[in-house]
Amino acid sequence: MDVYRRHRPLHDGATHLSPDEPRALEEWDGFVYVPAGTAENLPAAQAWANGTDPGALADER
């Protein structure tokens, strides 16, 4: 698997809908995806997933 970070809307739905809604951030731990925090919106989540903005987390766990 080559996707180690992913994001999804907190209330389900397509990832491109409601770009201003918060996103759940998840990281691959080698077995399953585990919660990694939240992002304020879609652009912040995409930056976090791409590794371009380490400050995109709104809530680190």
Side-chain angles (χ1 to χ4, degrees):
M1 178 172 286
D2 61 349
V3 177
Y4 297 102
R5 291 181 166 189
R6 71 179 184 182
H7 59 87
R8 59 185 177 80
L10 289 178
H11 304 291
D12 294 321
T15 59
H16 66 283
L17 298 177
S18 304
D20 296 329
E21 295 293 318
R23 298 293 197 263
L25 304 176
E26 300 174 328
E27 289 184 305
W28 184 251
D29 73 356
F31 185 67
V32 297
Y33 280 99
V34 294
T38 59
E40 295 178 16
N41 53 35
L42 178 60
Q46 289 173 328
W48 175 83
N50 294 330
T52 57
D53 184 8
L57 288 177
D59 174 29
E60 282 200 44
R61 294 182 180 215

